[in-house]
């Protein structure tokens, strides 16, 4: 036997057992996004590398060391998308969707980053992302946050906490950057190698460091929220007021800087205690300069993306296994007539909206019941030749304690629906 080929590290197969939850999240998200007027856009998985260099930033981890970049057969440098915002802006400009227009868009699909794989961090992962264009006020920022909060409610996700911050305008960030460099220069001796490098390239990212030895010096660093320009400060105050009005709880986290360079003013993250080290399930913010930076006319914009793997993991942790794609019923067919009629009966039950798996492997009652149990179905419907000629079938609960009962075939769908709703 030759050696079996394995998947690429950090790129997971999504197996049927877990896909029920994925589909539930996808359906719920599509419904929630529609309720706020967002429309789907589908974008290529590959873009020119330059797009990401110009948007995410040359000195970010993503562009410096995480992209899957290669030259195609024409010698052009392409990259698998590490995120969706840049591609969405590129498509918006290219298709004339942005100038002087309001657009509310969403997308879903795989993203690729060559990170060190660990729980909640993969090299191929999936996002549902949202991008809104043409609205500069904090009302849009609040809408995005309320929309994500509604999705958590719909999915019955608890234990997620909201953190917000403001990064101000590029000008006030440049001024703050100077303050920060002076501060960290004065504490140079405690900085690690990574932070020393960032001191030259991207000092704000030092605030993001997870190195325990740096936490003291980071804690006492000046905060950007204390050095915002008047307009950004007003924008942030109004966002906080809007969230207060809506009863959304949040914490202002002055260390929240995000790993992509395009943000201006509001940034936010939803963090879950159920997730371990990779705790952020959803993140985003405002990026008012990006459209112009990528060659479009200046257009304010904001958005977020949620990580599907992490959201599904929260649902698994919470044991929200309500919809795992298993059938509701398993038809056990005993005898020749039953086998012939069983498939038709299953069709009628499906017409009534039930999820039905019909035995097609035959064998004894015992072996069919074993398969019924393995299918995960809540009920087995036992159909025998003699019973069938009298118009009767038996229902047997597989997951709860209930007496097996014989009922009329005509009442079957109704009775089962009542039982399943209990
Ligand atoms: P991001 O913070 O890089 O933002 O990613 C958003 C979310 O994707 C994260 O919070 C996390 O749940 C998930 N995620 C990121 N990397 C991984 C990974 N390696 N494995 C598993 N999940 C991951 C963005 O991508 C921005 N485009 C969000 C945005 C949209 N901002 C404005 N609009």
């Amino acid at each position: 036997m030759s050696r079996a080929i394995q998947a690429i590290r950090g790129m997971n197969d999504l197996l049927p057992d877990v896909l029920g939850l994925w589909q539930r999240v996808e359906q719920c998200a599509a419904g929630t996004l529609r309720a706020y007027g967002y429309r789907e856009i589908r974008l290529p998985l590959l873009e020119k590398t330059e797009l990401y260099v110009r948007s995410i930033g040359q000195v970010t981890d993503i562009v410096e060391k995480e992209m899957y970049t290669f030259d195609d057969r024409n010698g052009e440098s392409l990259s698998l998308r590490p995120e969706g915002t840049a591609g969405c802006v590129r498509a918006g400009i290219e298709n004339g969707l942005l100038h002087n227009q309001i657009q509310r868009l969403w997308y879903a699909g795989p993203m690729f980053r060559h990170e060190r794989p660990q729980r909640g961090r993969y090299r191929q992962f999936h996002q549902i992302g949202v991008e809104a264009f043409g609205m500069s006020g904090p009302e849009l920022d609040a809408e995005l946050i309320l929309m994500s909060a509604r999705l958590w409610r719909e999915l019955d996700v608890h234990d997620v906490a909201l953190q917000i911050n403001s990064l101000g305008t590029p000008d006030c960030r440049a001024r703050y950057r100077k303050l920060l460099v002076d501060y960290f220069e004065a504490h140079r001796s405690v900085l690690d190698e990574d932070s020393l490098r960032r001191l030259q390239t991207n000092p704000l990212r030092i605030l993001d460091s997870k190195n325990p030895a740096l936490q003291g010096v980071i804690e006492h660093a000046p905060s950007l929220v204390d050095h915002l320009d008047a307009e950004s400060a007003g924008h942030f105050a109004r966002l906080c007021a809007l969230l207060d009005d809506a009863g959304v709880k949040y914490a202002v986290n002055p260390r929240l800087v995000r790993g992509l360079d395009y943000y201006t003013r509001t940034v936010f993250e939803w963090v879950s205690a159920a997730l371990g080290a990779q705790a952020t399930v959803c993140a985003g913010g405002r990026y008012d300069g990006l459209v112009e930076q990528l060659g479009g006319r200046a257009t304010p914009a904001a958005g977020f993306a949620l990580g599907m793997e992490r959201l599904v993991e929260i649902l698994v942790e919470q044991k929200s296994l309500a919809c795992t794609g298993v059938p509701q019923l398993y038809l056990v067919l005993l005898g020749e007539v039953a086998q012939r009629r069983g498939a038709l009966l299953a069709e009628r039950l499906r017409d009534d909206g039930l999820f039905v798996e019909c035995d097609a492997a035959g064998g004894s009652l015992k072996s069919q019941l074993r398969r019924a149990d393995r299918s995960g179905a809540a009920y087995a419907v036992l159909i025998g030749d003699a019973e069938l000629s009298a118009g009767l079938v038996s229902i047997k609960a597989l997951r709860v304690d209930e007496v097996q009962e014989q009922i009329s075939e005509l009442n079957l769908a109704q009775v089962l629906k009542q039982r399943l709703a209990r």
Side-chain angles (χ1 to χ4, degrees):
M1 215 161 42
S2 58
R3 190 175 53 86
I5 296 172
Q6 293 185 332
I8 300 166
R9 201 160 106 82
M11 305 215 176
N12 301 320
D13 301 311
L14 300 171
L15 302 178
D17 272 355
V18 76
L19 274 180
L21 277 177
W22 279 67
Q23 286 160 351
R24 186 169 145 224
V25 172
E26 285 159 1
Q27 278 161 13
C28 221
T32 303
L33 296 169
R34 187 159 166 246
Y36 286 78
Y38 286 74
R39 296 183 303 154
E40 188 182 0
I41 184 166
R42 297 192 185 185
L43 303 160
L45 269 64
L46 270 179
E47 297 274 2
K48 295 179 184 166
T49 302
E50 187 196 351
L51 174 69
Y52 300 116
V53 176
R54 271 171 60 183
S55 54
I56 297 170
Q58 178 81 64
V59 289
T60 54
D61 283 352
I62 296 180
V63 168
E64 270 185 347
K65 42 189 188 199
E66 294 172 1
M67 287 210 295
Y68 283 88
T69 297
F70 61 94
D71 286 350
D72 76 357
R73 287 171 195 276
N74 303 326
E76 184 164 34
S77 179
L78 306 179
S79 294
L80 278 170
R81 62 182 188 190
E83 59 105 51
T85 308
C88 189
V89 171
R90 196 267 312 136
I93 297 170
E94 193 168 337
N95 295 288
L97 303 181
L98 304 188
H99 182 52
N100 272 341
Q101 293 172 64
I102 300 286
Q103 287 289 351
R104 287 181 164 86
L105 304 171
W106 69 270
Y107 51 83
M111 309 290 160
F112 304 86
R113 296 183 195 175
H114 195 274
E115 296 189 84
R116 199 164 49 78
Q118 54 177 274
R119 178 181 174 207
R121 188 197 271 167
Y122 309 104
R123 290 185 172 168
Q124 174 174 317
F125 59 98
H126 297 75
Q127 287 184 344
I128 295 180
V130 167
E131 316 292 352
F133 299 93
M135 293 160 277
S136 58
E139 293 73 20
L140 172 67
D141 312 13
E143 173 181 295
L144 293 168
I145 289 172
L146 290 187
M147 188 160 73
S148 42
R150 179 179 293 275
L151 184 59
W152 311 146
R153 281 200 304 280
E154 303 260 326
L155 286 168
D156 201 18
V157 168
H158 16 92
D159 276 351
V160 278
L162 175 64
Q163 300 187 354
I164 59 174
N165 192 20
S166 176
L167 301 181
T169 60
D171 276 353
C172 79
R173 205 152 63 233
R175 282 195 301 275
Y176 171 70
R177 190 189 146 113
K178 281 211 186 77
L179 275 179
L180 206 58
V181 171
D182 290 347
Y183 172 81
F184 283 124
E185 283 288 0
H187 296 85
R188 215 183 157 81
S189 55
V190 285
L191 296 186
D192 58 15
E193 199 184 314
D194 210 30
S195 303
L196 285 171
R197 195 176 50 84
R198 282 183 168 152
L199 195 54
Q200 309 304 324
T201 55
N202 199 347
L204 264 75
R205 292 285 290 165
I206 301 176
L207 299 173
D208 225 14
S209 167
K210 303 282 180 290
N211 183 349
L214 295 187
Q215 295 314 307
V217 68
I218 288 176
E219 201 159 305
H220 293 102
S223 277
L224 182 49
V225 270
D226 298 330
H227 296 88
L228 291 177
D229 58 286
E231 235 183 286
S232 295
H235 186 107
F236 193 56
R238 175 115 178 99
L239 170 64
C240 293
L242 289 165
L243 295 178
D244 291 337
D245 287 351
V248 176
K249 291 202 181 65
Y250 57 87
V252 176
N253 176 0
R255 313 282 165 236
L256 186 65
V257 290
R258 311 276 301 123
L260 308 98
D261 278 356
Y262 49 61
Y263 291 108
T264 51
R265 295 194 170 151
T266 311
V267 289
F268 64 92
E269 292 194 358
W270 288 96
V271 177
S272 166
L275 286 176
Q278 304 303 316
T280 305
V281 63
C282 173
R286 186 162 272 289
Y287 50 94
D288 290 338
L290 184 58
V291 177
E292 200 176 10
Q293 208 173 305
L294 290 178
R297 308 250 188 115
T299 307
F304 67 77
L306 64 82
M308 281 294 288
E309 283 79 0
R310 295 186 192 174
L311 181 52
V312 167
E313 190 176 336
I314 296 178
L315 293 173
V316 170
E317 290 281 319
Q318 284 186 191
K319 310 217 179 327
S320 308
L321 299 172
C323 176
T324 48
V326 298
Q328 294 169 309
L329 315 177
Y330 191 99
L331 264 51
V332 171
L333 308 174
L334 302 161
E336 230 171 274
V337 183
Q339 266 165 7
R340 238 182 39 227
R341 296 259 306 274
L344 294 179
L345 179 58
E347 284 297 307
R348 286 214 308 277
L349 291 169
R350 291 181 191 119
D351 288 344
D352 279 317
L354 290 159
F355 302 143
V356 185
E357 194 170 320
C358 191
D359 191 274
S364 66
L365 172 65
K366 199 169 155 206
S367 58
Q368 290 196 44
L369 274 178
R370 200 178 311 123
R371 284 198 289 273
D373 190 45
R374 244 185 258 144
S375 77
Y379 282 90
V381 180
L382 313 182
I383 305 170
D385 284 358
E387 279 180 301
L388 208 51
S389 60
L392 296 171
V393 294
S394 294
I395 52 176
K396 178 179 169 63
L398 298 173
R399 317 282 149 206
V400 290
D401 226 0
E402 262 176 28
V403 187
Q404 184 173 322
E405 200 183 334
Q406 204 170 51
I407 58 172
S408 157
E409 187 194 327
L410 296 174
N411 297 338
L412 184 58
Q414 199 196 352
V415 171
L416 283 167
K417 278 185 178 174
Q418 279 166 2
R419 297 274 177 101
L420 287 164
R422 283 213 288 246

